[in-house]
Amino acid sequence: MSIPLTELRVAIIGSGPAGFYAAESLQKAAPGVQITMFDRLPTPFGLVRGGVAPDHPKIKSVSRVFDRIASQPGFRFVGHVTVGEDLSHEQLRQHFDAVIYAVGAELDRHLDIPGEFLEGSHSATELVGWYNGHPSYADRRFDLAQQSAAVIGIGNVAMDTTRILLTPADQLAGTDLAATALAELGTSRLNAVHILARRGPVQAACTTPELKELGEIPGVDVIVDPADLDLDPISARHLAEDHDRTTENNIALFRHWAERGSTDAPRRIVFHFCVSPLELIGEGRVAVLRVVRNQLVPDGRGSVRAEPTDAIREVPVGLIFRSVGYRGTAIAGLPFDQQRGIVPNASGRVVESPGSATFVRGVYVCGWIKRGPHGIIGTNKTDAAETVDHLLADAVSGRLAPASGSPALLDQELADAGVDVTTWADWVVLDQAERDRGAQAGRPREKIVSVPEMLAAIHAARAAR
Ligand code: NAP
């Protein structure tokens, strides 16, 4: 039985870019659609609030687009609800015609080396969550009395991590960086960050604007060994022939830094190419990072992979930030592709197992849980549109099972279970409270970083209405 698009009731789990772009696609193609967007936090926007670096306000301003989507008729935000704890996948299936999971990829990939979890070794995710005031990470502590840190990986998260660690705190004060983190960064004694890439400069996963920003931090030299720019044949051919603008521009920057050398700035960022961490060593806490020199060999797919040599050396460091990518987590009630860390799907339609052609009726994915942890915010727009196109086609062709319950019944079930859900109006209250606190401190926003404190502010505002 087909469901008229104007009557469709869709649950979206996750209120980051993937979730909001899915909502926008639904609103455009099916005016009248009822959308309920769930998030486990009382605040919306996912990585736009908790991941994008605070000194990138232009990227964060995409939240204004999301505000507009949230203001459309038929859209509801239900915050402070964790699917799998407060509400089950089965309940969602019962009360909505379709469910879209847009939950991202929240786990860090591991290095799987001895000493990986020694005191002083952190995932970049922890640091990023901490400086962004994410409630799950707000109380983390990093020993910024150390003078030397290593960042493992050379993607954009590694760039953000390095830049925030070395940017003078007075420059960060004009951002919405969490107040505690700002105070602690102000006391930092770090004067060297070593960025470790397992392959060469041509394979750097970061994009040029983010790389370039490292060279713009006051009082910081960027050190690149000219020998690292003697490229292996495959990398040289890629650079010469493939017209890959990002790589060309990255290499131009690395060459500039290699030629310039040190300017005797008080702090420095040092790139180490073709090295992999072998072990973290220290008595109780990390003191030394043992690394192996890699050689680059053909990977059989036109690029190169890192193969360890016998050359091993030690880098003294007091802090480690592992920034080697993310991984999705399994969702109770849904199949999971352990190897890729995603929910198996065919262009957004969830399938029973990786490679299967059998769809799980009425269940969809978009964003990082669909395709893996790659791409910028805008990538989610086309990604979500693809998922929504399939969902709408399924609604029209009768491949959706109409909900037996309703969103209103689910609200009742959540209330009966004592779940303290929050609404968009509550978020507006928090948003204003954070801006007011910021204004008092001469900052754009001062985030509330604990869920109980958020709920207290929400309840106080409700009582005053
Ligand atoms: P990423 O771009 O996938 O980079 C991961 C890095 O870790 C790569 O350099 C990778 O090297 C390395 N790596 C993986 N496994 C390793 C291992 N076992 N040992 C050593 N190195 C290893 O991931 P990300 O930095 O977490 O970023 C995730 C996504 O968010 C990316 O698409 C990124 O562009 C995006 N993002 C964008 C912005 C922005 O636009 N400003 C900011 C932050 C994040 P190999 O290449 O050799 O695998």
Side-chain angles (χ1 to χ4, degrees):
M1 183 175 109
S2 78
I3 303 175
L5 297 188
T6 48
E7 292 172 19
L8 202 58
R9 290 164 300 183
V10 181
I12 298 177
I13 319 305
S15 66
F20 268 103
Y21 284 129
E24 184 182 45
S25 287
L26 282 165
Q27 288 169 343
K28 280 187 179 155
V33 62
Q34 287 181 46
I35 298 169
T36 306
M37 181 180 275
F38 294 91
D39 202 289
R40 66 182 166 187
L41 290 178
T43 52
F45 305 146
L47 279 180
V48 167
R49 180 175 161 96
V52 173
D55 59 343
H56 283 169
K58 224 169 138 186
I59 301 180
K60 279 192 188 280
S61 70
V62 72
S63 62
R64 280 191 234 122
V65 175
F66 302 160
D67 283 340
R68 190 175 37 73
I69 296 166
S71 71
Q72 299 301 307
F75 180 97
R76 292 193 320 145
F77 175 75
V78 180
H80 196 225
V81 174
T82 303
V83 173
E85 288 177 22
D86 301 316
L87 139 107
S88 67
H89 174 66
E90 290 67 35
Q91 279 174 291
L92 289 167
R93 289 295 296 117
Q94 188 190 339
H95 295 293
F96 294 91
D97 303 319
V99 183
I100 303 177
Y101 284 91
V103 294
E106 64 172 318
L107 287 188
D108 310 298
R109 287 175 56 197
H110 290 170
L111 295 169
D112 296 323
I113 57 170
E116 177 161 8
F117 304 110
L118 269 179
E119 179 78 31
S121 168
H122 309 272
S123 68
T125 310
E126 291 172 68
L127 186 86
V128 170
W130 173 73
Y131 65 60
N132 269 315
H134 189 294
S136 302
Y137 304 101
D139 59 358
R140 297 295 155 99
R141 290 293 169 267
F142 305 91
D143 183 4
L144 297 172
Q146 298 293 328
Q147 297 195 353
S148 179
V151 173
I152 319 286
I154 188 171
N156 279 334
V157 171
M159 299 299 110
D160 285 351
T161 300
T162 304
R163 189 180 69 255
I164 295 291
L165 282 173
L166 288 179
T167 297
D170 57 353
Q171 203 167 308
L172 294 172
T175 74
D176 68 359
L177 192 129
T180 319
L182 183 63
E184 293 197 21
L185 285 165
T187 67
S188 170
R189 297 181 59 207
L190 267 186
N191 57 28
V193 176
H194 299 270
I195 299 179
L196 270 66
R198 65 176 167 183
R199 297 189 289 163
V202 164
Q203 290 77 38
C206 57
T207 43
T208 310
E210 284 66 25
L211 182 63
K212 188 162 177 266
E213 282 174 308
L214 297 187
E216 294 164 355
I217 309 172
V220 172
D221 270 343
V222 181
I223 308 294
V224 176
D225 181 348
D228 282 332
L229 296 165
D230 291 339
L231 302 177
D232 65 282
I234 292 180
S235 300
R237 195 170 61 234
H238 173 70
L239 185 64
E241 295 176 9
D242 289 353
H243 306 294
D244 169 353
R245 289 299 296 272
T246 296
T247 303
E248 287 168 7
N249 292 333
N250 284 356
I251 292 292
L253 272 172
F254 289 130
R255 287 206 171 116
H256 162 71
W257 288 322
E259 280 159 21
R260 190 187 59 179
S262 167
T263 68
D264 288 330
R267 287 166 299 136
R268 65 193 200 284
I269 294 165
V270 186
F271 280 95
H272 302 256
F273 290 102
C274 295
V275 288
S276 285
L278 281 183
E279 185 176 5
L280 307 188
I281 304 165
E283 293 294 321
R285 76 177 324 286
V286 61
V288 169
L289 170 61
R290 181 172 288 157
V291 299
V292 61
R293 177 92 195 158
N294 296 323
Q295 57 183 354
L296 298 179
V297 297
D299 67 355
R301 287 172 282 132
S303 187
V304 287
R305 64 181 173 78
E307 193 177 83
T309 65
D310 295 334
I312 292 174
R313 69 192 166 96
E314 294 186 344
V315 186
V317 282
L319 272 174
I320 302 274
F321 295 98
R322 307 178 306 267
S323 182
V324 295
Y326 298 96
R327 222 188 120 69
T329 41
I331 298 164
L334 288 195
F336 193 65
D337 181 342
Q338 287 293 351
Q339 206 190 338
R340 295 187 60 200
I342 61 169
V343 171
N345 69 93
S347 305
R349 288 179 173 120
V350 174
V351 294
E352 282 187 350
S353 58
S356 159
T358 310
F359 300 132
V360 178
R361 204 176 194 195
V363 189
Y364 303 83
V365 280
C366 62
W368 282 3
I369 197 64
K370 168 186 175 184
R371 64 178 196 275
H374 303 289
I376 57 171
I377 290 171
T379 316
N380 292 296
K381 202 167 176 166
T382 39
D383 176 288
E386 178 189 59
T387 295
V388 166
D389 282 352
H390 288 308
L391 186 160
L392 297 177
D394 291 348
V396 170
S397 67
R399 271 185 283 176
L400 291 184
S404 56
S406 71
L409 279 176
L410 179 62
D411 289 350
Q412 193 53 56
E413 287 177 15
L414 289 170
D416 291 347
V419 183
D420 191 4
V421 302
T422 64
T423 64
W424 193 263
D426 295 328
W427 156 241
V428 171
V429 166
L430 287 183
D431 184 33
Q432 193 55 51
E434 291 186 344
R435 288 174 197 272
D436 291 346
R437 281 162 43 134
Q440 281 172 20
R443 307 186 60 208
R445 169 188 299 275
E446 211 166 277
K447 284 182 178 170
I448 302 175
V449 303
S450 101
V451 170
E453 206 185 319
M454 288 177 190
L455 295 177
I458 287 169
H459 291 152
R462 284 185 197 160
R465 264 181 223 142

